[in-house]
Amino acid sequence: MCGIRFSCLIYNNELNEKQNCQNEKQENKLIQDSRSPSSHSDSGDSAKTFTLADTKIASKLRNRGPDFCTTYSVNLTNSCIGTMTGCVLHLRGNLTPQPVTDETNNALLWNGEIFDGIQVVEDENDTQVLFNALTKCTGDDTVLKLIESIHGPWAFIYWQADAKKLWFGRDMFGRRSLLWHLPSLEDNQFILSSVATENQDFAEIPSVGIFVLDFTQPEVCPSLTLYPWCNCRWPGTSTKLIDTPGSELLRQLYPINSTNLSTKLDIKETLSSWIPSINKNLDIENFASESVLNVDQFLNHTELLHHILTTDSELNMLSDALIDVLQTAVKKRVTTLPRNYHVTTPQNVQTSDANIAILFSGGLDSTLLAAVADRCTPPDESIDLLNVAFEQRPTFGKNKLKEKKQVKKKTRFPKDHSSSSEARPEIGLERIENGFDHLKDISQGSNKSDFEEISLGKSPDESSDALNSSDIQKSHVTTITPSSHHDNVPYKNISFDPYDVPDRVTGITALGELNPNRKWNFIEINVTQEEVQKMRQSRISSLIYPLQTVLDDSIGCAVWFASQGVGVLANNRSHKIKSKAKVILCGMAADEQFAGYSRHRVTFNTKGWQGLLNEIEEEMWRISSRNLGRDDRIISDHGKESRFPFLDETFTQFVSTIPIYKRADLRLPRGLGEKLLLRLCAYKLGLFKTAVQPKRAIQFGSKIAKMDNRKEKGSDTCDRLNYN
């Protein structure tokens, strides 16, 4: 992974020549590495000394790539100089400084991973392999064919010296961030960057194809050509890109202000897209089963899942195949990682020993990834589970504290007691006992009856009292007395845990279902309101930019603190611990492919199967414009790389062949019908409670959405985000 940046002044006049000199001096001062590549130690020691200008640009790029930073200048024309900056996070093969260059002045900035498509042997660095292949390309078509063949996330900038062309773009899913600032009459800078820099307007480069800026005619402004993905649509619309009038192209690409850059669309060299065509089969009448029509005959949702697997041979085989494809995707992302590297932490913070971390809410998607990652990771290695919770402060009504009731709640899983041992098939009983033993291991001084209630008892909501018991350390639990807030009010002393949020409860529950022979570092990341306010203003806002909604703020803050990985272990809160893992597995994109959002159920109820099919097809085309670029900027700010197994090219290709009614069946109730096929996979992996967990978004599960106590819509512009 890398933080990458390119900048130049592209208009050819005397003023530009003067500004080019100033620009080159500024960029060369921006980042200079005090170490030479040959002095790098194979031990992976990340404690390096940099000579850095004190600028926001340097800090943001270095956060993304702390292992090596360099700059390089290229002569675009006789009067135009481009500056390329690369800050590298070392993950594969030998440490390779960026940009990679050769004697003919070709230069590559690569922020990506090649998992397939181009052969990269185990001890090779994929950046160097790709650069070697690019330098052998003899025409535009060969460059395009090479890039489109790559499996994996990427954003790249490549200067092809002999052709005088600057190539750049993002993968079709938008898994890596790349922003641009286009020149105008008032500001003639052209900038490409992983993160926004300086006080300038930026937009995300749409993941609609590969771009090339042509400098072959130095006397005129360079022209921008877009080679689109096949059948590509503008994100968030149903409009095909090739149907866009030439006069509208630039406005669609760069909507924030006008630019004089000449732009054209080249449809002769349309790229093959890894977003596959969806299976449009809706032969649902021949698929309807008694399970849908007679849900009430089953004691709980778990029993219904068991019934489906034992009576529907096709879904049974599909779930097996899906597990295999997902396991292959995860394996690609957890192998060939650096190990035995050193991470510097404050004196009072210990470091975990895991090389892999997972954003872990205890929901279906993240727990599935954990169970599959367990199969792909050496048994003697630990895995970090990053579970974030935001401080909740008690609020007072007229005469009483609004607190969680200590009596049994009405379950949010109607008619489902899926944790009950009597309702489990035989395979479940053995798996539950293992979960009980493992969960007991993470407690101190626990007794069996309390943890039996967690492992064998009620639904996640009902088991919250057991999880809040003294058997699990609760050093942050406080006792609220009348004098704490209002005098002369007859309150009883009440124990209140400010971090007892839904994702903490489901996280602990899901932990009990994972392999008890694996060392799982369940890291509780507890965030105060003051920490959120401070880091939002100092760092997070500029990473979320150019996105700016309330939803972006909530999810961005939650993911930033979670991926930072600083917290305490659930079974030992005596000291802080920091995850040293450079790779974080994320469960994004499962909902888009398996109808996991509530809007999918609304669509199904109003428009039926055809409406749902159309919605899922649109989801995949607009996913690049929604949140993946933002999440890349957020997670990479900690010198870590996000990886998305559910967006593996082979995985998405396989899922696309499955009819929508076999991926989800929204005639079934919530917590069962959505993502049905994934639930069947979870059941087969022994995740019986997790298999019937309903969808809960991170902003609600972590309770960050409640922190500001405002009545806002997720689509509203967030006035708490202040980029400049």
Side-chain angles (χ1 to χ4, degrees):
M1 192 197 75
C2 191
I4 60 178
R5 188 176 191 268
F6 172 91
S7 66
C8 72
L9 303 172
I10 65 173
Y11 297 127
N12 185 23
N13 54 43
E14 293 182 0
L15 176 62
N16 277 9
E17 292 184 17
K18 180 178 178 181
Q19 290 182 342
N20 262 319
C21 294
Q22 296 174 348
N23 188 49
E24 181 183 7
K25 290 178 181 178
Q26 178 186 2
E27 294 286 351
N28 285 336
K29 187 178 75 170
L30 175 67
I31 299 180
Q32 298 173 359
D33 198 325
S34 62
R35 294 165 52 102
S36 66
S38 60
S39 66
H40 174 71
S41 171
D42 289 336
S43 65
D45 189 326
S46 62
K48 298 177 174 61
T49 302
F50 295 94
T51 303
L52 291 171
D54 185 19
T55 68
K56 292 182 179 179
I57 307 173
S59 176
K60 289 181 181 180
L61 292 177
R62 185 180 61 175
N63 287 344
R64 294 177 61 90
D67 293 331
F68 208 96
C69 298
T70 52
T71 59
Y72 183 76
S73 295
V74 295
N75 292 320
L76 307 174
T77 68
N78 291 335
S79 59
C80 187
I81 297 173
T83 303
M84 306 177 78
T85 301
C87 294
V88 177
L89 175 70
H90 178 221
L91 291 172
R92 300 177 71 170
N94 295 324
L95 175 67
T96 303
Q98 293 198 39
V100 185
T101 62
D102 63 11
E103 64 281 358
T104 61
N105 294 321
N106 294 308
L108 172 66
L109 290 169
W110 172 251
N111 176 28
E113 297 291 340
I114 299 177
F115 293 127
D116 211 339
I118 298 175
Q119 184 177 9
V120 182
V121 300
E122 186 172 341
D123 59 345
E124 284 185 312
N125 182 277
D126 61 344
T127 305
Q128 189 66 57
V129 171
L130 177 61
F131 180 70
N132 294 342
L134 283 168
T135 58
K136 296 176 182 177
C137 293
T138 56
D140 291 0
D141 59 333
T142 55
V143 173
L144 296 171
K145 289 184 184 303
L146 179 66
I147 297 298
E148 72 176 354
S149 69
I150 296 172
H151 290 214
W154 51 264
F156 82 105
I157 304 169
Y158 173 59
W159 171 245
Q160 191 179 19
D162 60 345
K164 291 292 181 181
K165 292 181 177 180
L166 184 75
W167 299 85
F168 60 94
R170 304 165 66 198
D171 74 80
M172 75 209 69
F173 293 127
R175 289 167 287 186
R176 292 292 176 261
S177 171
L178 192 61
L179 312 178
W180 60 359
H181 170 85
L182 298 187
S184 63
L185 291 176
E186 295 76 23
D187 177 10
N188 55 4
Q189 287 196 80
F190 175 84
I191 303 174
L192 306 172
S193 182
S194 299
V195 290
T197 57
E198 302 140 1
N199 295 322
Q200 293 170 311
D201 293 328
F202 281 83
E204 287 189 332
I205 296 177
S207 297
V208 293
I210 297 175
F211 298 83
V212 60
L213 198 59
D214 190 341
F215 287 88
T216 55
Q217 297 181 332
E219 68 279 1
V220 298
C221 178
S223 61
L224 180 68
T225 300
L226 167 61
Y227 296 98
W229 301 112
C230 181
N231 297 321
C232 184
R233 304 171 192 179
W234 289 109
T237 75
S238 59
T239 304
K240 288 190 176 182
L241 195 121
I242 60 174
D243 295 333
T244 306
S247 58
E248 289 291 309
L249 180 61
L250 193 55
R251 187 182 66 83
Q252 291 279 4
L253 290 172
Y254 192 70
I256 59 177
N257 55 44
S258 61
T259 176
N260 292 333
L261 204 61
S262 172
T263 308
K264 67 177 181 178
L265 187 67
D266 191 329
I267 60 175
K268 295 179 181 179
E269 297 288 350
T270 301
L271 304 169
S272 298
S273 173
W274 287 112
I275 298 181
S277 299
I278 194 170
N279 187 328
K280 298 184 183 297
N281 174 18
L282 286 177
D283 189 19
I284 188 65
E285 292 185 3
N286 296 329
F287 187 73
S289 66
E290 294 182 1
S291 303
V292 175
L293 303 176
N294 301 290
V295 175
D296 291 343
Q297 68 177 303
F298 299 100
L299 178 63
N300 54 63
H301 291 176
T302 306
E303 185 177 310
L304 177 52
L305 290 178
H306 179 70
H307 174 78
I308 292 174
L309 286 173
T310 55
T311 59
D312 192 314
S313 59
E314 187 172 2
L315 281 180
N316 189 13
M317 290 187 294
L318 270 178
S319 58
D320 282 335
L322 190 64
I323 290 173
D324 290 340
V325 177
L326 181 59
Q327 183 169 323
T328 300
V330 170
K331 187 175 182 179
K332 294 176 187 176
R333 287 157 175 79
V334 300
T335 54
T336 66
L337 295 178
R339 285 168 166 81
N340 302 319
Y341 52 89
H342 175 70
V343 176
T344 302
T345 58
Q347 188 174 3
N348 62 336
V349 179
Q350 294 186 7
T351 305
S352 76
D353 54 353
N355 298 301
I356 300 163
I358 300 172
L359 291 186
F360 191 76
S361 65
L364 176 64
D365 308 334
S366 63
T367 310
L368 256 179
L369 289 184
V372 174
D374 173 59
R375 293 179 161 199
C376 306
T377 307
D380 59 335
E381 291 189 6
S382 61
I383 296 176
D384 289 341
L385 304 177
L386 309 179
N387 183 275
V388 66
F390 290 86
E391 179 187 19
Q392 304 300 298
R393 294 179 179 174
T395 56
F396 290 85
K398 185 175 182 180
N399 287 315
K400 65 178 182 177
L401 175 69
K402 293 180 181 178
E403 57 167 319
K404 284 189 174 181
K405 294 182 179 180
Q406 299 301 313
V407 297
K408 178 178 178 180
K409 296 180 180 179
K410 180 180 179 181
T411 176
R412 65 180 64 187
F413 306 113
K415 223 182 150 307
D416 182 32
H417 302 281
S418 56
S419 300
S420 172
S421 58
E422 310 79 63
R424 303 281 180 98
E426 186 173 313
I427 185 176
L429 294 175
E430 179 182 358
R431 191 66 188 83
I432 295 168
E433 291 172 3
N434 290 338
F436 162 74
D437 292 337
H438 179 50
L439 191 55
K440 186 169 67 173
D441 288 342
I442 71 162
S443 69
Q444 290 189 351
S446 63
N447 61 72
K448 183 172 182 179
S449 60
D450 287 331
F451 278 88
E452 269 185 344
E453 185 175 2
I454 300 172
S455 291
L456 306 178
K458 308 175 181 66
S459 70
D461 279 345
E462 293 179 274
S463 64
S464 60
D465 288 346
L467 287 170
N468 292 338
S469 71
S470 60
D471 294 312
I472 296 180
Q473 293 187 6
K474 291 287 181 181
S475 59
H476 43 251
V477 173
T478 58
T479 299
I480 301 173
T481 62
S483 59
S484 301
H485 295 274
H486 296 280
D487 293 331
N488 303 319
V489 180
Y491 296 125
K492 295 181 179 180
N493 290 349
I494 300 171
S495 293
F496 178 77
D497 178 5
Y499 301 109
D500 183 23
V501 302
D503 279 1
R504 183 61 46 81
V505 175
T506 55
I508 291 290
T509 302
L511 174 63
E513 295 194 301
L514 295 173
N515 177 11
N517 297 316
R518 167 79 60 185
K519 181 184 177 185
W520 302 96
N521 298 323
F522 188 91
I523 300 179
E524 296 182 348
I525 300 162
N526 301 321
V527 188
T528 66
Q529 295 191 15
E530 291 76 16
E531 287 176 303
V532 173
Q533 294 165 2
K534 176 183 177 181
M535 299 314 299
R536 174 191 283 134
Q537 294 305 312
S538 64
R539 290 177 71 169
I540 300 174
S541 289
S542 65
L543 299 169
I544 292 174
Y545 179 84
L547 305 184
Q548 54 186 346
T549 68
V550 170
L551 185 62
D552 292 316
D553 172 54
S554 294
I555 298 178
C557 288
V559 173
W560 191 89
F561 281 102
S563 57
Q564 186 183 34
V566 178
V568 294
L569 290 175
N571 63 327
N572 185 0
R573 296 194 177 93
S574 61
H575 57 266
K576 285 190 174 182
I577 188 169
K578 177 178 175 61
S579 171
K580 76 164 187 177
K582 290 185 177 183
V583 168
I584 300 180
L585 298 182
C586 305
M588 288 77 163
D591 292 302
E592 284 81 357
Q593 297 178 78
F594 294 90
Y597 291 120
S598 57
R599 64 174 178 267
H600 295 144
R601 191 172 287 275
V602 172
T603 298
F604 177 77
N605 290 337
T606 56
K607 299 180 180 179
W609 285 107
Q610 186 63 55
L612 179 63
L613 177 69
N614 296 338
E615 178 76 10
I616 295 301
E617 186 175 32
E618 290 296 327
E619 289 282 12
M620 295 306 292
W621 278 113
R622 65 182 174 224
I623 195 171
S624 66
S625 65
R626 291 177 61 83
N627 53 25
L628 296 177
R630 176 201 66 206
D631 294 341
D632 173 67
R633 293 190 294 276
I634 291 289
I635 294 174
S636 298
D637 191 52
H638 302 297
K640 300 174 184 290
E641 181 174 275
S642 55
R643 296 187 176 178
F644 308 101
F646 289 115
L647 281 176
D648 176 81
E649 285 80 358
T650 303
F651 182 85
T652 58
Q653 187 84 38
F654 176 77
V655 172
S656 72
T657 66
I658 304 173
I660 185 60
Y661 58 87
K662 296 180 184 178
R663 303 189 213 176
D665 192 339
L666 299 185
R667 297 171 295 179
L668 295 171
R670 182 171 179 261
L672 186 61
E674 69 277 13
K675 300 192 285 192
L676 175 62
L677 190 56
L678 287 181
R679 297 181 186 281
L680 296 173
C681 293
Y683 181 94
K684 285 196 165 187
L685 292 172
L687 309 174
F688 301 115
K689 298 177 192 176
T690 302
V692 294
Q693 279 281 9
K695 165 73 177 178
R696 184 188 294 116
I698 188 173
Q699 65 269 30
F700 303 118
S702 67
K703 284 299 182 78
I704 189 173
K706 295 291 185 181
M707 181 170 280
D708 292 293
N709 198 26
R710 298 187 183 188
K711 292 183 178 180
E712 300 171 311
K713 294 181 179 179
S715 58
D716 291 345
T717 298
C718 182
D719 57 13
R720 296 180 293 278
L721 296 175
N722 181 18
Y723 165 55
N724 293 325

